Amino acid sequence: MDRATLIEMTKDALEHGKAGTMRLAPEVLKVKADIYTDAERFEREKKLIFRRMPLMLAPTAELPNPGDYKAMDAVGVPVLLTRGKDGKVRAFLNSCTHRGTAVAQGTGNASRFICGYHGWTFNRDGELIGVASRDDFGEVNTDELGLKPFPVLEKAGLIWAILDPNSTLDINAFLSGYDTLLEGFGLESWQFFQSRTLKGPNWKIAYDGYLDFYHLPVLHADTFGRNIPNRALFYSFGPHTRVSAPSTVLPMPEGLDLADLAQKDTSEWPTEALMNGVWTIFPHISIATFYGGQRGVMISQLFPGDKVGESFTTQMYLSEKPLTDATRQGLEDQFKLLEYVVQHEDYGTGLRQQKALDAGMTEHVYFGRNEGGGQVFHGWVQKLLDTSNDDLNSLFAPVRQAAE
Ligand code: FES
Ligand SMILES: [Fe+2]
């Protein structure tokens, strides 16, 4: 864990809070409104971003034990994540090498996967270990007929995969050092509580909201936002941005005052206090802390839908410690509130935004100097659309060096 950088960011947020200031981007960014409505561009985004970038497909907590697996759809690609006997996570195209149907559904624990069509069998490492009625079937080279593997990396209690078996992109370089900050959560030992999926507008309209504190006291006035300031500090590491509020009080359960912290050496600052705010992971993840019942995080995982104006967000709720009878209800209530807030307030507004932009009469939208996170995000989306496969690694490598 890069504790020094976490402390630096926290000091920065406290100092800005004390001074009543924030850092502003150099200019207002004007973005063409059709980035949210253009179907042709949408297909390119899916191909050049979601099929090329590492995607955080599951937290470690969702498949913590050997034999645990998760089958899922990721941008139209059926994916199977498994944890082997060796404890390693692997990712495969969830498609039987006989005639292509999926070999697993949902989540569970299994030592092997028997295809439900004709019964070919694969082990957790993706190897084909059984061909039904082999003598009748005829000669095939089983060594070549394992499930197709995707590049995968598990770090900071999170699992990334690239949905391109031939990708040469270095996932570590892509992470740009941000993973060493995310390690501050210690997510590898957290518990998976619940998940659900919500429908929303274009994936960028949905994602913009996670990078934006400007809307909190307005859009969320009726739920949690009425007295929340609309200022934010943005810390970007490569394409990934952490959003934090400039404040003299750290938002922990009992609130931790700057005056109290200043008395103590930074070595005594609790790591928990350094992890507040929203941690976005490009291109489609947001992690935020909540204290209903006990400390938890909601991981929001966004995927573009079939159409340009559609996205799906899986909300996964993790709790730091095992639940007790006393805390379970608090978590339930917190997670229920977050469903309401995101579905009705954020995505309700986003769907109306989508509809208005779909009318095609809005030429531009704007990201203010106070909305630096959105500015960085849209800059990266464009950069990736403009970058060829050959140049992909060079896009991230220099950032990694700077972060080390
Ligand atoms: S498609 Fe899987 S065994 Fe035939
Ligand atoms: Fe919101």
Side-chain angles (χ1 to χ4, degrees):
M1 172 185 31
D2 181 0
R3 193 176 153 86
T5 303
L6 290 171
I7 287 176
E8 223 173 274
M9 284 190 277
T10 306
K11 277 187 177 167
D12 180 65
L14 292 169
E15 274 157 24
H16 276 287
K18 198 169 160 193
T21 53
M22 70 186 290
R23 246 186 318 276
L24 298 171
E27 288 172 353
V28 173
L29 178 72
K30 194 171 164 182
V31 171
K32 285 192 74 196
D34 66 7
I35 64 158
Y36 298 114
T37 59
D38 179 344
E40 184 273 327
R41 181 192 162 101
F42 175 65
E43 291 306 319
R44 278 194 297 134
E45 287 173 352
K46 285 206 279 192
K47 190 167 153 225
L48 299 177
I49 298 175
F50 283 83
R51 295 279 182 96
R52 289 202 302 177
M53 290 299 99
L55 302 176
M56 201 296 284
L57 294 184
T60 297
E62 202 174 7
L63 46 161
N65 303 309
D68 287 351
Y69 67 87
K70 175 184 181 179
M72 65 186 294
D73 176 274
V75 226
V77 179
V79 179
L80 175 62
L81 297 172
T82 67
R83 190 177 296 281
K85 237 200 290 186
D86 55 3
K88 272 203 193 121
V89 165
R90 294 176 177 81
F92 304 101
L93 181 67
N94 185 11
S95 176
C96 178
T97 47
H98 176 218
R99 281 232 285 288
T101 193
V103 299
Q105 275 113 48
T107 56
N109 186 284
S111 57
R112 60 210 172 120
F113 300 95
I114 304 171
C115 179
Y117 196 173
H118 313 89
W120 283 25
T121 304
F122 302 85
N123 68 13
R124 294 180 284 210
D125 299 345
E127 293 160 344
L128 175 60
I129 53 169
V131 172
S133 302
R134 189 164 189 157
D135 292 343
D136 297 340
F137 190 84
E139 206 42 53
V140 278
N141 184 351
T142 50
D143 291 349
E144 287 172 0
L145 290 172
L147 298 175
K148 199 182 277 294
F150 294 125
V152 68
L153 178 75
E154 181 170 34
K155 266 203 147 173
L158 299 167
I159 299 162
W160 282 267
I162 305 177
L163 302 180
D164 172 3
N166 303 316
S167 175
T168 57
L169 179 62
D170 176 353
I171 304 181
N172 267 309
F174 160 82
L175 291 175
S176 311
Y178 196 60
D179 49 309
T180 63
L181 305 170
L182 292 168
E183 278 168 2
F185 281 112
L187 288 179
E188 57 280 351
S189 62
W190 288 42
Q191 319 274 315
F192 196 84
F193 176 51
Q194 282 177 8
S195 67
R196 66 166 87 88
T197 299
L198 309 177
K199 195 171 168 182
N202 176 269
W203 71 279
K204 298 189 299 311
I205 288 186
Y207 203 63
D208 285 343
Y210 295 93
L211 284 157
D212 173 357
F213 284 7
Y214 189 32
H215 76 281
L216 297 183
V218 182
L219 179 57
H220 300 305
D222 293 338
T223 45
F224 68 92
R226 188 172 300 278
N227 298 311
I228 291 187
N230 67 359
R231 287 181 158 175
L233 294 163
F234 302 99
Y235 306 92
S236 293
F237 299 80
H240 319 293
T241 298
R242 182 219 183 154
V243 194
S244 199
S247 168
T248 56
V249 179
L250 291 171
M252 291 177 61
E254 59 298 344
L256 195 55
D257 204 279
L258 172 61
D260 293 343
L261 272 189
Q263 308 262 321
K264 294 184 186 156
D265 188 79
T266 52
S267 64
E268 291 175 50
W269 291 14
T271 307
E272 179 178 350
L274 313 177
M275 301 307 295
N276 65 80
V278 175
W279 294 78
T280 67
I281 308 173
F282 188 86
H284 71 145
I285 299 292
S286 147
I287 304 176
T289 305
F290 298 94
Y291 284 100
Q294 61 188 39
R295 187 182 183 209
V297 293
M298 183 167 78
I299 303 179
S300 305
Q301 179 188 55
L302 283 75
F303 286 112
D306 290 336
K307 290 177 291 197
V308 57
E310 177 186 83
S311 66
F312 293 92
T313 299
T314 299
Q315 298 183 322
M316 296 175 258
Y317 206 93
L318 273 57
S319 80
E320 185 185 20
K321 305 256 160 59
L323 296 188
T324 65
D325 289 343
T327 58
R328 180 177 296 275
Q329 191 58 46
L331 257 82
E332 295 266 2
D333 294 347
Q334 180 75 64
F335 197 35
K336 211 169 278 167
L337 173 70
L338 289 166
E339 176 180 29
Y340 179 83
V341 165
V342 174
Q343 185 74 83
H344 294 274
E345 295 183 344
D346 289 308
Y347 292 179
T349 299
L351 287 164
R352 288 188 286 277
Q353 179 186 350
Q354 183 77 50
K355 192 158 192 270
L357 296 178
D358 279 343
M361 285 181 251
T362 304
E363 271 167 41
H364 294 98
V365 296
Y366 299 87
F367 287 82
R369 296 183 63 198
N370 58 344
E371 297 182 283
Q375 296 200 9
V376 168
F377 168 64
H378 286 281
W380 273 95
V381 169
Q382 190 57 51
K383 206 185 292 193
L384 284 161
L385 296 187
D386 295 340
T387 302
S388 69
N389 281 353
D390 290 346
D391 293 335
L392 218 46
N393 265 310
S394 63
L395 210 53
F396 299 106
V399 182
R400 176 70 181 185
Q401 276 158 18
E404 276 171 353

PDB file of all heavy atoms in Angstrom, residues 95-103 114-122 128 130-132 137, ligand 1:
ATOM      1  N   SER A  95     -17.474 -20.485 -23.272  1.00  0.00           N
ATOM      2  CA  SER A  95     -18.010 -21.046 -24.502  1.00  0.00           C
ATOM      3  C   SER A  95     -17.345 -22.393 -24.756  1.00  0.00           C
ATOM      4  O   SER A  95     -16.122 -22.468 -24.932  1.00  0.00           O
ATOM      5  CB  SER A  95     -17.732 -20.069 -25.652  1.00  0.00           C
ATOM      6  OG  SER A  95     -18.140 -20.611 -26.881  1.00  0.00           O
ATOM      7  N   CYS A  96     -18.140 -23.442 -24.739  1.00  0.00           N
ATOM      8  CA  CYS A  96     -17.627 -24.796 -24.929  1.00  0.00           C
ATOM      9  C   CYS A  96     -16.934 -24.917 -26.289  1.00  0.00           C
ATOM     10  O   CYS A  96     -17.421 -24.390 -27.293  1.00  0.00           O
ATOM     11  CB  CYS A  96     -18.810 -25.766 -24.851  1.00  0.00           C
ATOM     12  SG  CYS A  96     -18.345 -27.471 -25.120  1.00  0.00           S
ATOM     13  N   THR A  97     -15.793 -25.615 -26.303  1.00  0.00           N
ATOM     14  CA  THR A  97     -15.039 -25.703 -27.553  1.00  0.00           C
ATOM     15  C   THR A  97     -15.627 -26.752 -28.498  1.00  0.00           C
ATOM     16  O   THR A  97     -15.138 -26.911 -29.615  1.00  0.00           O
ATOM     17  CB  THR A  97     -13.554 -26.008 -27.265  1.00  0.00           C
ATOM     18  OG1 THR A  97     -13.490 -27.085 -26.321  1.00  0.00           O
ATOM     19  CG2 THR A  97     -12.851 -24.798 -26.693  1.00  0.00           C
ATOM     20  N   HIS A  98     -16.650 -27.458 -28.060  1.00  0.00           N
ATOM     21  CA  HIS A  98     -17.336 -28.369 -28.986  1.00  0.00           C
ATOM     22  C   HIS A  98     -18.198 -27.562 -29.958  1.00  0.00           C
ATOM     23  O   HIS A  98     -17.874 -27.464 -31.132  1.00  0.00           O
ATOM     24  CB  HIS A  98     -18.174 -29.398 -28.208  1.00  0.00           C
ATOM     25  CG  HIS A  98     -18.972 -30.309 -29.093  1.00  0.00           C
ATOM     26  ND1 HIS A  98     -20.240 -30.721 -28.771  1.00  0.00           N
ATOM     27  CD2 HIS A  98     -18.673 -30.886 -30.287  1.00  0.00           C
ATOM     28  CE1 HIS A  98     -20.688 -31.523 -29.731  1.00  0.00           C
ATOM     29  NE2 HIS A  98     -19.756 -31.639 -30.656  1.00  0.00           N
ATOM     30  N   ARG A  99     -19.253 -26.964 -29.456  1.00  0.00           N
ATOM     31  CA  ARG A  99     -20.058 -26.169 -30.385  1.00  0.00           C
ATOM     32  C   ARG A  99     -20.481 -24.822 -29.828  1.00  0.00           C
ATOM     33  O   ARG A  99     -21.347 -24.154 -30.381  1.00  0.00           O
ATOM     34  CB  ARG A  99     -21.261 -26.974 -30.848  1.00  0.00           C
ATOM     35  CG  ARG A  99     -20.808 -27.969 -31.945  1.00  0.00           C
ATOM     36  CD  ARG A  99     -21.621 -27.895 -33.183  1.00  0.00           C
ATOM     37  NE  ARG A  99     -22.910 -28.525 -32.988  1.00  0.00           N
ATOM     38  CZ  ARG A  99     -23.070 -29.859 -32.882  1.00  0.00           C
ATOM     39  NH1 ARG A  99     -22.033 -30.669 -32.963  1.00  0.00           N
ATOM     40  NH2 ARG A  99     -24.262 -30.346 -32.711  1.00  0.00           N
ATOM     41  N   GLY A 100     -19.853 -24.445 -28.701  1.00  0.00           N
ATOM     42  CA  GLY A 100     -19.930 -23.033 -28.343  1.00  0.00           C
ATOM     43  C   GLY A 100     -20.847 -22.604 -27.217  1.00  0.00           C
ATOM     44  O   GLY A 100     -20.781 -21.461 -26.795  1.00  0.00           O
ATOM     45  N   THR A 101     -21.698 -23.485 -26.710  1.00  0.00           N
ATOM     46  CA  THR A 101     -22.599 -22.977 -25.675  1.00  0.00           C
ATOM     47  C   THR A 101     -21.833 -22.697 -24.373  1.00  0.00           C
ATOM     48  O   THR A 101     -20.688 -23.138 -24.206  1.00  0.00           O
ATOM     49  CB  THR A 101     -23.777 -23.959 -25.430  1.00  0.00           C
ATOM     50  OG1 THR A 101     -24.769 -23.290 -24.648  1.00  0.00           O
ATOM     51  CG2 THR A 101     -23.329 -25.206 -24.696  1.00  0.00           C
ATOM     52  N   ALA A 102     -22.451 -21.937 -23.473  1.00  0.00           N
ATOM     53  CA  ALA A 102     -21.788 -21.593 -22.213  1.00  0.00           C
ATOM     54  C   ALA A 102     -21.672 -22.841 -21.336  1.00  0.00           C
ATOM     55  O   ALA A 102     -22.587 -23.662 -21.305  1.00  0.00           O
ATOM     56  CB  ALA A 102     -22.594 -20.522 -21.489  1.00  0.00           C
ATOM     57  N   VAL A 103     -20.554 -22.973 -20.632  1.00  0.00           N
ATOM     58  CA  VAL A 103     -20.345 -24.160 -19.806  1.00  0.00           C
ATOM     59  C   VAL A 103     -20.753 -23.936 -18.351  1.00  0.00           C
ATOM     60  O   VAL A 103     -20.831 -24.883 -17.579  1.00  0.00           O
ATOM     61  CB  VAL A 103     -18.886 -24.670 -19.853  1.00  0.00           C
ATOM     62  CG1 VAL A 103     -18.513 -25.047 -21.273  1.00  0.00           C
ATOM     63  CG2 VAL A 103     -17.919 -23.647 -19.291  1.00  0.00           C
ATOM     64  N   ILE A 114     -19.244 -29.216 -16.561  1.00  0.00           N
ATOM     65  CA  ILE A 114     -19.738 -30.160 -17.556  1.00  0.00           C
ATOM     66  C   ILE A 114     -20.705 -29.417 -18.472  1.00  0.00           C
ATOM     67  O   ILE A 114     -21.718 -28.878 -18.005  1.00  0.00           O
ATOM     68  CB  ILE A 114     -20.460 -31.348 -16.885  1.00  0.00           C
ATOM     69  CG1 ILE A 114     -19.512 -32.018 -15.880  1.00  0.00           C
ATOM     70  CG2 ILE A 114     -20.946 -32.352 -17.935  1.00  0.00           C
ATOM     71  CD1 ILE A 114     -20.185 -33.058 -15.000  1.00  0.00           C
ATOM     72  N   CYS A 115     -20.362 -29.353 -19.728  1.00  0.00           N
ATOM     73  CA  CYS A 115     -21.205 -28.623 -20.668  1.00  0.00           C
ATOM     74  C   CYS A 115     -22.583 -29.280 -20.733  1.00  0.00           C
ATOM     75  O   CYS A 115     -22.706 -30.506 -20.885  1.00  0.00           O
ATOM     76  CB  CYS A 115     -20.563 -28.586 -22.043  1.00  0.00           C
ATOM     77  SG  CYS A 115     -21.580 -27.710 -23.242  1.00  0.00           S
ATOM     78  N   GLY A 116     -23.610 -28.429 -20.632  1.00  0.00           N
ATOM     79  CA  GLY A 116     -24.969 -28.938 -20.560  1.00  0.00           C
ATOM     80  C   GLY A 116     -25.528 -29.417 -21.891  1.00  0.00           C
ATOM     81  O   GLY A 116     -26.651 -29.909 -21.941  1.00  0.00           O
ATOM     82  N   TYR A 117     -24.766 -29.252 -22.989  1.00  0.00           N
ATOM     83  CA  TYR A 117     -25.289 -29.648 -24.293  1.00  0.00           C
ATOM     84  C   TYR A 117     -24.973 -31.126 -24.586  1.00  0.00           C
ATOM     85  O   TYR A 117     -25.873 -31.959 -24.693  1.00  0.00           O
ATOM     86  CB  TYR A 117     -24.702 -28.704 -25.358  1.00  0.00           C
ATOM     87  CG  TYR A 117     -25.403 -28.702 -26.700  1.00  0.00           C
ATOM     88  CD1 TYR A 117     -25.037 -27.774 -27.682  1.00  0.00           C
ATOM     89  CD2 TYR A 117     -26.435 -29.585 -27.003  1.00  0.00           C
ATOM     90  CE1 TYR A 117     -25.660 -27.745 -28.919  1.00  0.00           C
ATOM     91  CE2 TYR A 117     -27.072 -29.566 -28.235  1.00  0.00           C
ATOM     92  CZ  TYR A 117     -26.687 -28.650 -29.196  1.00  0.00           C
ATOM     93  OH  TYR A 117     -27.296 -28.633 -30.416  1.00  0.00           O
ATOM     94  N   HIS A 118     -23.666 -31.471 -24.684  1.00  0.00           N
ATOM     95  CA  HIS A 118     -23.318 -32.873 -24.965  1.00  0.00           C
ATOM     96  C   HIS A 118     -22.410 -33.486 -23.902  1.00  0.00           C
ATOM     97  O   HIS A 118     -21.992 -34.629 -24.045  1.00  0.00           O
ATOM     98  CB  HIS A 118     -22.618 -33.016 -26.323  1.00  0.00           C
ATOM     99  CG  HIS A 118     -23.288 -32.300 -27.447  1.00  0.00           C
ATOM    100  ND1 HIS A 118     -22.997 -30.989 -27.765  1.00  0.00           N
ATOM    101  CD2 HIS A 118     -24.244 -32.701 -28.309  1.00  0.00           C
ATOM    102  CE1 HIS A 118     -23.740 -30.613 -28.797  1.00  0.00           C
ATOM    103  NE2 HIS A 118     -24.511 -31.625 -29.150  1.00  0.00           N
ATOM    104  N   GLY A 119     -22.056 -32.680 -22.908  1.00  0.00           N
ATOM    105  CA  GLY A 119     -21.335 -33.255 -21.782  1.00  0.00           C
ATOM    106  C   GLY A 119     -19.817 -33.198 -21.812  1.00  0.00           C
ATOM    107  O   GLY A 119     -19.161 -33.901 -21.038  1.00  0.00           O
ATOM    108  N   TRP A 120     -19.226 -32.395 -22.663  1.00  0.00           N
ATOM    109  CA  TRP A 120     -17.773 -32.221 -22.574  1.00  0.00           C
ATOM    110  C   TRP A 120     -17.452 -31.583 -21.221  1.00  0.00           C
ATOM    111  O   TRP A 120     -18.226 -30.762 -20.703  1.00  0.00           O
ATOM    112  CB  TRP A 120     -17.246 -31.313 -23.704  1.00  0.00           C
ATOM    113  CG  TRP A 120     -17.147 -31.997 -25.032  1.00  0.00           C
ATOM    114  CD1 TRP A 120     -17.855 -33.077 -25.449  1.00  0.00           C
ATOM    115  CD2 TRP A 120     -16.272 -31.628 -26.106  1.00  0.00           C
ATOM    116  NE1 TRP A 120     -17.498 -33.416 -26.731  1.00  0.00           N
ATOM    117  CE2 TRP A 120     -16.525 -32.551 -27.159  1.00  0.00           C
ATOM    118  CE3 TRP A 120     -15.319 -30.633 -26.303  1.00  0.00           C
ATOM    119  CZ2 TRP A 120     -15.837 -32.481 -28.376  1.00  0.00           C
ATOM    120  CZ3 TRP A 120     -14.645 -30.558 -27.506  1.00  0.00           C
ATOM    121  CH2 TRP A 120     -14.901 -31.485 -28.535  1.00  0.00           C
ATOM    122  N   THR A 121     -16.296 -31.949 -20.674  1.00  0.00           N
ATOM    123  CA  THR A 121     -15.978 -31.521 -19.311  1.00  0.00           C
ATOM    124  C   THR A 121     -14.648 -30.765 -19.255  1.00  0.00           C
ATOM    125  O   THR A 121     -13.652 -31.199 -19.851  1.00  0.00           O
ATOM    126  CB  THR A 121     -15.910 -32.753 -18.388  1.00  0.00           C
ATOM    127  OG1 THR A 121     -17.156 -33.455 -18.497  1.00  0.00           O
ATOM    128  CG2 THR A 121     -15.703 -32.364 -16.938  1.00  0.00           C
ATOM    129  N   PHE A 122     -14.658 -29.657 -18.537  1.00  0.00           N
ATOM    130  CA  PHE A 122     -13.472 -28.801 -18.395  1.00  0.00           C
ATOM    131  C   PHE A 122     -13.135 -28.674 -16.915  1.00  0.00           C
ATOM    132  O   PHE A 122     -14.039 -28.647 -16.074  1.00  0.00           O
ATOM    133  CB  PHE A 122     -13.754 -27.413 -18.974  1.00  0.00           C
ATOM    134  CG  PHE A 122     -14.150 -27.448 -20.432  1.00  0.00           C
ATOM    135  CD1 PHE A 122     -15.477 -27.669 -20.804  1.00  0.00           C
ATOM    136  CD2 PHE A 122     -13.199 -27.285 -21.431  1.00  0.00           C
ATOM    137  CE1 PHE A 122     -15.844 -27.731 -22.139  1.00  0.00           C
ATOM    138  CE2 PHE A 122     -13.557 -27.334 -22.776  1.00  0.00           C
ATOM    139  CZ  PHE A 122     -14.889 -27.562 -23.131  1.00  0.00           C
ATOM    140  N   LEU A 128      -9.686 -29.155 -21.225  1.00  0.00           N
ATOM    141  CA  LEU A 128     -10.722 -30.136 -21.604  1.00  0.00           C
ATOM    142  C   LEU A 128     -10.288 -31.482 -21.045  1.00  0.00           C
ATOM    143  O   LEU A 128      -9.274 -32.049 -21.458  1.00  0.00           O
ATOM    144  CB  LEU A 128     -10.841 -30.195 -23.135  1.00  0.00           C
ATOM    145  CG  LEU A 128     -11.793 -31.258 -23.704  1.00  0.00           C
ATOM    146  CD1 LEU A 128     -13.229 -31.045 -23.220  1.00  0.00           C
ATOM    147  CD2 LEU A 128     -11.745 -31.246 -25.233  1.00  0.00           C
ATOM    148  N   GLY A 130     -12.631 -34.144 -20.516  1.00  0.00           N
ATOM    149  CA  GLY A 130     -13.518 -35.243 -20.879  1.00  0.00           C
ATOM    150  C   GLY A 130     -14.328 -34.956 -22.127  1.00  0.00           C
ATOM    151  O   GLY A 130     -14.965 -33.897 -22.221  1.00  0.00           O
ATOM    152  N   VAL A 131     -14.264 -35.879 -23.097  1.00  0.00           N
ATOM    153  CA  VAL A 131     -15.104 -35.796 -24.291  1.00  0.00           C
ATOM    154  C   VAL A 131     -16.127 -36.923 -24.182  1.00  0.00           C
ATOM    155  O   VAL A 131     -15.742 -38.101 -24.065  1.00  0.00           O
ATOM    156  CB  VAL A 131     -14.254 -35.964 -25.575  1.00  0.00           C
ATOM    157  CG1 VAL A 131     -15.148 -36.072 -26.808  1.00  0.00           C
ATOM    158  CG2 VAL A 131     -13.263 -34.808 -25.721  1.00  0.00           C
ATOM    159  N   ALA A 132     -17.397 -36.582 -24.171  1.00  0.00           N
ATOM    160  CA  ALA A 132     -18.441 -37.613 -24.008  1.00  0.00           C
ATOM    161  C   ALA A 132     -18.382 -38.606 -25.170  1.00  0.00           C
ATOM    162  O   ALA A 132     -18.169 -38.206 -26.317  1.00  0.00           O
ATOM    163  CB  ALA A 132     -19.810 -36.938 -23.946  1.00  0.00           C
ATOM    164  N   PHE A 137     -16.952 -40.298 -30.928  1.00  0.00           N
ATOM    165  CA  PHE A 137     -16.768 -38.940 -31.455  1.00  0.00           C
ATOM    166  C   PHE A 137     -15.664 -38.885 -32.515  1.00  0.00           C
ATOM    167  O   PHE A 137     -15.775 -38.200 -33.523  1.00  0.00           O
ATOM    168  CB  PHE A 137     -16.453 -37.951 -30.315  1.00  0.00           C
ATOM    169  CG  PHE A 137     -16.487 -36.512 -30.756  1.00  0.00           C
ATOM    170  CD1 PHE A 137     -17.689 -35.811 -30.812  1.00  0.00           C
ATOM    171  CD2 PHE A 137     -15.321 -35.858 -31.150  1.00  0.00           C
ATOM    172  CE1 PHE A 137     -17.730 -34.490 -31.241  1.00  0.00           C
ATOM    173  CE2 PHE A 137     -15.359 -34.529 -31.579  1.00  0.00           C
ATOM    174  CZ  PHE A 137     -16.571 -33.856 -31.619  1.00  0.00           C
TER     175      PHE A 137
HETATM  176  S1  FES B   1     -21.513 -27.727 -27.012  1.00  0.00           S
HETATM  177 FE1  FES B   1     -20.543 -28.328 -25.211  1.00  0.00          FE
HETATM  178  S2  FES B   1     -20.504 -30.451 -25.279  1.00  0.00           S
HETATM  179 FE2  FES B   1     -21.428 -29.893 -27.143  1.00  0.00          FE
END
